[in-house]
Amino acid sequence: MNALRKYLNNVKPNFEEGGKLHALKSVFDGFETFLFVPNTTAKSGAHIHDAIDSKRIMSMVVIALMPAMLFGMYNVGYQNYLAAGTLASASFFEIFCYGFLAVLPKILVSYIVGLGIEFIWAQWKGEEIQEGYLVSGIIIPLILPIGCPLWMLALACAFAVIFAKEIFGGTGMNIFNVAIAARMFLFFSYPSKMTGDTIWVAQNSIFGLGNTLPDGYTAATPLGEIGQGTDVTASLQDMILGFIPGSIGETSVIAIAIGAVILLWMGIASWKTMLSVFVGGGLMACLFEQLGMTPIHWYEHIVLGGFCFGAVFMATDPVTSARTETGKYIYGFLIGAMAVIIRVMNPGYPEGMMLAIFFGNMVAPLIDHCIVARNISKRMKRGGTK
């Protein structure tokens, strides 16, 4: 590392103002600060939360996402071989490699498009490259069906980075979660690709691991089955383990729980927001179950679809969620309750978690404003000030 640090110090003058590569200053700065903690401080608008810098926070979130991503890769292969009737003869390596080779292009496209726009934007504005897309770049592929075309994914990433982030001022200034914006863009622009059914596309000659399914094979997710008025075929065990059709990173409750433990242990995510999402969703699901308005048990609403993934990795986004301590409870409860309401009341949209978080982001500033105004009023009354 000392040799790398010395090398960067030697080439750094080339990227400074007046250097022959000064046009790439933002790119060099982004690369340098990713490898080493910068020794500079913010000149304005800084709010100290912790000793760890934002790049390290983003890196820890990416690590927390690894269990869900790796299991999602395995599940893609598992669903392919299961539907083809060749699961018993397939090895773990074949199953995982099939999924890995199917998911990897989506992650690469997400990062290439998103980071490419970030780099271009930073160069154009003469600013530092912001690190927020390190997390968004991996979340976006994980919340999409495996059959989402790469060109569609690229379009969604470009839209989300430009119109949901950069146009508001970049990382820390966006109103809506970037990954949510990408998902919403695809849902309203290409609804046929974002329904409750997942398309498992055979990879025909990838190390001889494909050629098992016809191109475009469609498998209904459990929530998709509910929306179609049919019985759910998956068992509760499969729902928790994640061996069901669904978006790449959202199926395994256990993998998501491991990520939640990492986030909470590192103090990155708010347990208040996370817990209140589950409480709000659980209570609303119980109410609908008692009223006979949902064909599944209340706890199945919690373990199906993107509920757990959204509660752990997206509702807790520190930029777009409520920031007051009391507001976190209200914000999370509204998201959980709204997700179940959308699922039950709108059969045409069986997955409601992402839309619930989108609306939660919208009202989060209002929640914080009301909480702060209430606290100010109470303090003024205690001090005898009118």
Side-chain angles (χ1 to χ4, degrees):
M1 293 302 291
N2 290 334
L4 179 59
R5 176 71 272 178
K6 184 177 180 180
Y7 173 76
L8 291 177
N9 289 338
N10 290 335
V11 301
K12 189 172 184 177
N14 295 321
F15 297 91
E16 299 292 344
E17 193 67 31
K20 59 183 179 180
L21 299 176
H22 70 277
L24 300 176
K25 180 180 178 180
S26 297
V27 177
F28 177 83
D29 179 76
F31 179 74
E32 181 186 27
T33 54
F34 180 79
L35 294 174
F36 298 96
V37 176
N39 58 3
T40 57
T41 57
K43 297 180 180 179
S44 63
H47 303 276
I48 299 175
H49 292 279
D50 205 328
I52 189 172
D53 64 35
S54 54
K55 280 187 175 65
R56 288 358 182 235
I57 291 177
M58 299 300 173
S59 299
M60 289 307 303
V61 177
V62 170
I63 291 174
L65 284 162
M66 287 295 106
M69 184 193 73
L70 293 174
F71 183 86
M73 291 176 174
Y74 180 81
N75 190 45
V76 168
Y78 179 90
Q79 296 297 327
N80 173 78
Y81 283 99
L82 177 66
T86 57
L87 182 62
S89 60
S91 66
F92 175 88
F93 176 79
E94 290 176 321
I95 294 173
F96 180 80
C97 283
Y98 179 94
F100 174 80
L101 294 171
V103 175
L104 182 61
K106 300 183 183 300
I107 296 176
L108 292 177
V109 167
S110 176
Y111 273 120
I112 290 171
V113 173
L115 289 179
I117 294 175
E118 292 260 16
F119 280 28
I120 294 171
W121 196 281
Q123 291 295 131
W124 176 46
K125 301 289 288 185
E127 300 173 346
E128 296 180 356
I129 294 174
Q130 299 168 339
E131 60 281 340
Y133 199 77
L134 288 176
V135 173
S136 300
I138 194 170
I139 288 183
I140 291 175
L142 295 185
I143 62 175
L144 299 180
I146 187 63
C148 179
L150 294 179
W151 68 266
M152 200 178 292
L153 172 62
L155 191 61
C157 291
F159 173 87
V161 172
I162 295 173
F163 293 101
K165 181 182 178 184
E166 297 298 349
I167 204 170
F168 287 100
T171 300
M173 305 296 291
N174 48 298
I175 300 174
F176 301 106
N177 183 285
V178 176
I180 290 291
R183 167 93 182 204
M184 299 303 297
F185 171 81
L186 288 175
F187 177 77
F188 289 111
S189 301
Y190 307 98
S192 62
K193 297 292 185 180
M194 302 296 292
T195 62
D197 296 334
T198 300
I199 302 175
W200 305 90
V201 182
Q203 310 295 314
N204 288 324
S205 60
I206 302 181
F207 300 144
L209 301 176
N211 201 27
T212 56
L213 282 177
D215 185 57
Y217 173 82
T218 301
T221 64
L223 290 176
E225 292 173 336
I226 295 173
Q228 296 168 8
T230 59
D231 294 333
V232 176
T233 57
S235 66
L236 179 61
Q237 177 179 334
D238 285 341
M239 295 177 189
I240 295 175
L241 294 177
F243 295 110
I244 55 176
S247 295
I248 297 169
E250 296 179 349
T251 61
S252 176
V253 176
I254 295 177
I256 294 169
I258 294 173
V261 171
I262 294 174
L263 294 180
L264 294 175
W265 181 49
M266 297 300 297
I268 294 174
S270 169
W271 67 267
K272 297 177 181 178
T273 301
M274 203 179 294
L275 175 63
S276 56
V277 172
F278 287 105
V279 171
L283 290 178
M284 188 57 62
C286 282
L287 176 61
F288 282 127
E289 183 180 4
Q290 292 300 316
L291 295 175
M293 299 178 64
T294 176
I296 60 176
H297 297 294
W298 67 270
Y299 50 82
E300 292 178 312
H301 274 289
I302 303 300
V303 299
L304 285 177
F307 194 97
C308 290
F309 189 93
V312 172
F313 295 109
M314 308 185 78
T316 57
D317 176 12
V319 175
T320 58
S321 65
R323 302 188 184 190
T324 56
E325 297 306 308
T326 302
K328 291 175 182 177
Y329 288 114
I330 301 172
Y331 168 80
F333 187 91
L334 286 176
I335 288 177
M338 193 181 305
V340 177
I341 291 173
I342 294 172
R343 287 180 177 182
V344 175
M345 303 301 292
N346 184 6
Y349 187 36
E351 172 55 79
M353 190 59 178
M354 299 304 157
L355 188 59
I357 297 175
F358 183 84
F359 285 120
N361 292 166
M362 190 182 300
V363 301
L366 177 61
I367 293 173
D368 283 339
H369 173 78
C370 293
I371 296 298
V372 172
R374 177 176 174 271
N375 290 341
I376 292 174
S377 177
K378 289 174 64 177
R379 291 181 181 180
M380 292 178 67
K381 289 180 180 179
R382 285 199 303 266
T385 306
K386 295 184 179 180

